[in-house]
Amino acid sequence: MSMFKVTRKEIMWGGRKLVLETGKVARQADGAVMATYGDTTVLCTVVGAKAPKPGIDFFPLTVNYQEKAFAAGKIPGGFFKREGRPSEKETLVSRLIDRPIRPLFVGGYRNETQVVCTVLSHDLENDPDIVAMVGASAALTISGLPFMGPIAAARVAFINGEYVLNPTTAQVKESALDLVVAGTVEGVLMVESEAKELSEDVMLGAVMYGHREFQAVINAIIEMAESCAKDPWDVPAPPAEVALVEGKFAEAGIPAELGEAYKIVKKQDRYAAVAAVKVKALALLSEAAEIAVAGPIFKHMEADVVRGNILKTGIRIDGRDTKTVRAIESQVGVLPRAHGSAVFTRGETQALVVATLGTGQDEQIIDALDGEYRENFMLHYNFPPYSVGEAGRMGSPGRREIGHGKLAWRAIRPCLPTKEAFPYTIRVVSEITESNGSSSMATVCGSSLAMMDAGVPLPRPVAGIAMGLIKEDTGFAVLSDILGDEDHLGDMDFKVAGTADGVTALQMDIKITSITEEIMKIALGQAKDGRIHILGEMSKGLEGARSEVSGNAPRIVTFNIPKEKIREVIGTGGKVIREICENTGAKIDIDDDGTIKVASVDSEAGQRAIDWIRGIVAEPELGVVYTGKVVKVVDFGAFVNFLGSRDGLVHISEISRDRVAKTADVLKQGDSVKVKVLGFDDRGKVKLSMKCVDQETGEDITAQIEAERADRAKDRKKHDSED
């Protein structure tokens, strides 16, 4: 008899088998599910602390998604040969799992909770991210933790006008859309996507298609939980002090004072006023137990004031209506030595964005589970504490910074020129210098402007806008271009980026359990109007990409040489190519197919490198004059290097029109000479002549010599006949 009590659930989903299994591995976790889709397997575990973390007013949830190299039969690179700090992909997938599960924990649950998803097997076809989300949901659902799920997730592609459920890695490359959607039976909770300028209708259709298609997974998780879920945890009732504190605040008129504070339009002044009301409110309390519950109550009051005002009057904190976008100013070329730069300001949010152009040697090498690849477009987002008027810790980028940078990267990438058309490596850095609402969308606008300023040929500029939602039983309001406060106190964060022709990225996070298709449709329509307005404002700074790259950026010239000549250009141990780079200062990339890219800020240096390479691969042409250098002097003539590494012999009889008794009398090693190709011997050796070329001008004087010889012959003949 087995020592394991295994529960297993199998369904066919999107043409492949999805298997959820529990009871065998990681039995000491509160919930552990081994999720397998195709041959991709992820172990998902959940552990919750048995008691709440004291003194905090938020839910301490951590999600760790980790990929093990053995999952794809690989040994990690690097010196230590073991997995190191999380890769960008691991960080992004951790966020992807966190976003839809966080809102589904019961309010007031404050126990430290950790979800760990470990990729154990990867079939290189089915991305483990969806498998991890499904497995995490199943593990939470059976754990007994106060999780109001389950959720499920799906990836949706759009290929030849058709939606495709859970496309393979190869299919995603062919698709005009890569969209991940997660949600419950009731509705959608999270969307993350990249699209090739698709319409709002196609995007919404993809979201609803994914939501429909993952219902089978939710049903499978529920059926599994029915036979093996642990007893639900008791969530403690709110402390008695809550009602007491609410009463004290109401009696002292704190809600009304908050209402007045929120009428102040300028962010810093408003924050100061709200802080003063908070100090006054806390002064009403003396008991430690009362003070402990005051934070969340105060935040609730703030939310009620802001939300109530918007729904009642349609007027927002800063005096705008629901659809107006804050004032925008765009400026490009702000940094003299940068290749491209822009400052994009929208209200109290500002991004300083800088684009740098590099060569193939600057590409990022990414060692992923499904193989190593090179990335020639990077976008890095930084959020220093001064941007919100705070002093804080500066360090390596956090999860939020990586997530915001990737969202902007997804928004811009569908509009990038091909590597063949624009052979540069592009790095964009966004420094958020002020922030009050959607710095990631300001990054999209600023990146588009900075890249166009650098001469990156984007066919159309890209802009982004953040939408919010306030939803109560009495109705709802969709807000364009949300402030930071509206993000924190609202029910949705809905970011749309794209061009005048369509959507390139959509990111959505819902904080409530049900959002209807109607609300999403209104939000998408309103976002389109906002995006078109922002694009118009951006065009005042710069209409389109500059006609050529910045003078500070390297000029890249691409040309081809025969494959069999690559070895000659590189030289033994790279000797030749190193010499070219050192002497000219140019950077040179050589592809296996014979494509050569020469990059240099100084166009003359670049041309010297190109001429040098062309000289190496060129074949000597009969009758053509070349400039060469004497490399060896011998009794019977001189060897001259005249075309790249090509040498030829100038026979002693071809050195001068005058008789030469000894080669060394006329030539020495290192002399620069002009030579004409006379022919090739049986072994392919080149025969050269100096006397056929005017050594001053480089002019071919063969005809002149022939004419003189003919004249002399005529004179001789005449002389003979007279005799």
Side-chain angles (χ1 to χ4, degrees):
M1 189 178 142
S2 171
M3 65 188 286
F4 302 115
K5 188 181 176 201
V6 175
T7 305
R8 181 183 167 98
K9 185 75 196 162
E10 268 184 38
I11 60 165
M12 286 303 288
W13 184 44
R16 277 144 289 173
K17 192 189 286 182
L18 172 71
V19 181
L20 302 173
E21 186 179 281
T22 186
K24 187 184 283 184
V25 178
R27 292 171 299 161
Q28 293 180 40
D30 291 319
V33 169
M34 192 85 84
T36 302
Y37 192 50
D39 279 340
T40 294
T41 300
V42 185
L43 172 63
C44 304
T45 64
V46 179
V47 175
K50 297 299 171 274
K53 199 170 185 176
I56 57 162
D57 61 357
F58 63 92
F59 169 36
L61 168 70
T62 311
V63 177
N64 294 104
Y65 165 89
Q66 48 180 3
E67 295 182 334
K68 298 294 179 183
F70 61 68
K74 292 169 73 172
I75 292 173
F79 185 74
F80 295 107
K81 297 290 172 200
R82 69 177 294 164
E83 289 81 5
R85 65 180 193 164
S87 66
E88 186 183 76
K89 162 99 191 256
E90 287 170 315
T91 300
L92 292 167
V93 177
S94 297
R95 277 173 60 87
L96 206 61
I97 299 165
D98 183 306
R99 283 159 47 197
I101 64 175
R102 187 175 287 273
L104 294 182
F105 282 86
V106 168
Y109 174 65
R110 296 282 180 267
N111 302 27
E112 194 156 351
T113 301
Q114 188 176 36
V115 175
V116 180
C117 301
T118 308
V119 180
L120 302 178
S121 172
H122 186 10
D123 61 11
L124 309 186
E125 274 199 353
N126 297 291
D127 195 314
D129 56 3
I130 298 294
V131 190
M133 290 169 89
V134 167
S137 168
L140 281 163
T141 305
I142 65 171
S143 67
L145 271 65
F147 173 70
M148 301 292 103
I151 64 154
R155 174 172 267 102
V156 180
F158 190 60
I159 303 171
N160 301 328
E162 301 275 326
Y163 294 123
V164 178
L165 177 67
N166 295 337
T168 62
T169 311
Q171 283 177 309
V172 171
K173 290 191 174 86
E174 306 297 311
S175 174
L177 173 70
D178 179 5
L179 179 139
V180 173
V181 53
T184 59
V185 174
E186 293 170 338
V188 174
L189 283 169
M190 190 272 302
V191 175
E192 186 67 66
S193 63
E194 179 183 337
K196 291 186 176 145
E197 297 182 281
L198 297 177
S199 73
E200 280 71 11
D201 286 348
V202 170
M203 297 301 287
L204 183 57
V207 172
M208 300 320 295
Y209 171 81
H211 182 254
R212 272 196 312 277
E213 293 293 332
F214 66 52
Q215 294 306 318
V217 178
I218 290 178
N219 293 337
I221 293 172
I222 292 169
E223 284 173 26
M224 180 180 183
E226 279 166 356
S227 59
C228 67
K230 295 181 178 167
D231 292 338
W233 292 18
D234 291 329
V235 179
E241 287 82 5
V242 170
L244 207 63
V245 171
E246 284 173 346
K248 283 186 180 180
F249 284 174
E251 204 175 305
I254 298 294
E257 286 190 36
L258 255 186
E260 288 305 308
Y262 268 105
K263 285 178 183 166
I264 300 170
V265 172
K266 192 166 182 242
K267 176 184 164 182
Q268 301 290 10
D269 297 347
R270 180 172 69 250
Y271 276 24
V274 170
V277 177
K278 191 169 186 179
V279 168
K280 184 179 172 183
L282 290 174
L284 300 169
L285 312 174
S286 53
E287 300 293 321
E290 290 182 354
I291 292 166
V293 299
I297 293 171
F298 194 82
K299 193 174 175 189
H300 262 292
M301 281 166 35
E302 285 185 89
D304 288 345
V305 166
V306 172
R307 296 163 66 92
N309 281 348
I310 292 171
L311 286 176
K312 278 203 294 279
T313 65
I315 303 297
R316 295 152 68 175
I317 302 169
D318 60 358
R320 283 182 292 154
D321 65 19
T322 55
K323 292 184 180 175
T324 303
V325 175
R326 288 168 290 175
I328 288 171
E329 189 154 316
S330 307
Q331 197 183 351
V332 295
V334 292
L335 301 175
R337 294 307 297 268
H339 299 166
S341 57
V343 172
F344 177 84
T345 312
R346 186 191 58 234
E348 295 165 313
T349 296
Q350 184 181 68
L352 166 64
V353 189
V354 185
T356 310
L357 303 179
T359 67
Q361 291 166 26
D362 298 311
E363 287 181 340
Q364 185 181 15
I365 299 167
I366 295 172
D367 187 16
L369 268 194
D370 45 7
E372 189 177 279
Y373 67 94
R374 302 176 82 92
E375 182 53 68
N376 70 325
F377 174 48
M378 292 157 271
L379 196 154
H380 298 143
Y381 165 104
N382 298 307
F383 190 87
Y386 66 74
S387 66
V388 286
E390 291 175 4
R393 194 180 68 83
M394 300 275 284
S396 53
R399 283 185 167 193
R400 181 181 169 279
E401 287 177 295
I402 290 170
H404 278 25
K406 196 66 173 183
L407 172 59
W409 181 88
R410 286 195 183 105
I412 299 276
R413 192 171 76 138
C415 294
L416 284 182
T418 62
K419 217 165 160 181
E420 290 71 38
F422 191 72
Y424 289 86
T425 297
I426 304 164
R427 179 181 185 235
V428 175
V429 179
S430 173
E431 295 289 331
I432 302 305
T433 46
E434 291 182 34
S435 181
N436 182 13
S438 197
S439 51
S440 63
M441 295 296 96
T443 295
V444 171
C445 301
S447 299
S448 173
L449 288 165
M451 287 166 73
M452 293 191 302
D453 183 46
V456 179
L458 296 179
R460 286 167 290 284
V462 186
I465 187 168
M467 312 297 292
L469 173 72
I470 308 286
K471 184 172 181 284
E472 297 286 354
D473 297 339
T474 52
F476 69 88
V478 173
L479 313 179
S480 293
D481 177 26
I482 53 174
L483 299 169
D485 288 341
E486 291 170 338
D487 186 359
H488 305 313
L489 306 174
D491 298 319
M492 169 178 84
D493 183 11
F494 187 101
K495 295 176 178 137
V496 191
T499 66
D501 286 12
V503 175
T504 55
L506 167 62
Q507 187 186 77
M508 183 162 82
D509 288 297
I510 311 295
K511 299 166 193 170
I512 51 178
T513 50
S514 59
I515 176 164
T516 61
E517 188 174 353
E518 177 206 7
I519 291 175
M520 279 193 277
K521 197 176 180 73
I522 291 168
L524 276 165
Q526 210 168 303
K528 183 179 184 179
D529 296 341
R531 183 172 83 243
I532 301 300
H533 167 74
I534 294 168
L535 287 167
E537 293 297 302
M538 283 165 59
S539 70
K540 293 175 186 173
L542 185 63
E543 291 250 337
R546 300 202 188 280
S547 55
E548 51 181 45
V549 297
S550 156
N552 296 327
R555 302 295 167 116
I556 298 183
V557 178
T558 305
F559 59 98
N560 288 78
I561 63 166
K563 274 190 195 171
E564 60 275 9
K565 295 280 184 181
I566 293 174
R567 188 182 292 166
E568 290 177 42
V569 175
I570 293 172
T572 312
K575 180 169 174 271
V576 176
I577 197 161
R578 208 163 40 243
E579 188 186 355
I580 300 172
C581 293
E582 282 167 7
N583 285 343
T584 63
K587 281 185 175 179
I588 299 165
D589 287 330
I590 303 182
D591 290 344
D592 294 341
D593 63 355
T595 302
I596 294 194
K597 296 188 190 105
V598 175
S600 175
V601 177
D602 175 0
S603 55
E604 278 182 29
Q607 195 54 51
R608 282 206 309 279
I610 293 164
D611 292 345
W612 194 328
I613 294 168
R614 288 214 158 113
I616 293 170
V617 301
E619 292 292 339
E621 290 182 54
L622 194 62
V624 174
V625 174
Y626 297 94
T627 300
K629 188 190 279 185
V630 176
V631 287
K632 193 178 182 188
V633 175
V634 290
D635 292 343
F636 52 84
F639 287 98
V640 174
N641 172 233
F642 69 98
L643 188 62
S645 56
R646 179 84 57 160
D647 293 346
L649 173 68
V650 179
H651 191 266
I652 194 165
S653 64
E654 290 292 340
I655 291 174
S656 172
R657 290 162 67 182
D658 301 323
R659 187 172 177 280
V660 176
K662 198 173 176 196
T663 310
D665 293 344
V666 185
L667 293 174
K668 62 180 186 300
Q669 194 172 332
D671 282 353
S672 178
V673 295
K674 295 183 170 62
V675 292
K676 177 181 174 180
V677 177
L678 294 181
F680 311 92
D681 69 11
D682 303 341
R683 290 173 302 167
K685 301 281 186 216
V686 186
K687 293 188 279 190
L688 303 172
S689 169
M690 279 172 60
K691 73 180 185 188
C692 292
V693 185
D694 184 322
Q695 292 300 310
E696 292 292 316
T697 64
E699 189 189 344
D700 184 348
I701 53 173
T702 311
Q704 192 183 322
I705 294 170
E706 294 291 338
E708 286 174 10
R709 191 180 291 152
D711 285 348
R712 280 201 303 275
K714 206 186 288 177
D715 287 348
R716 218 171 20 251
K717 200 172 184 183
K718 189 178 173 188
H719 193 267
D720 289 349
S721 65
E722 283 173 358
D723 283 353

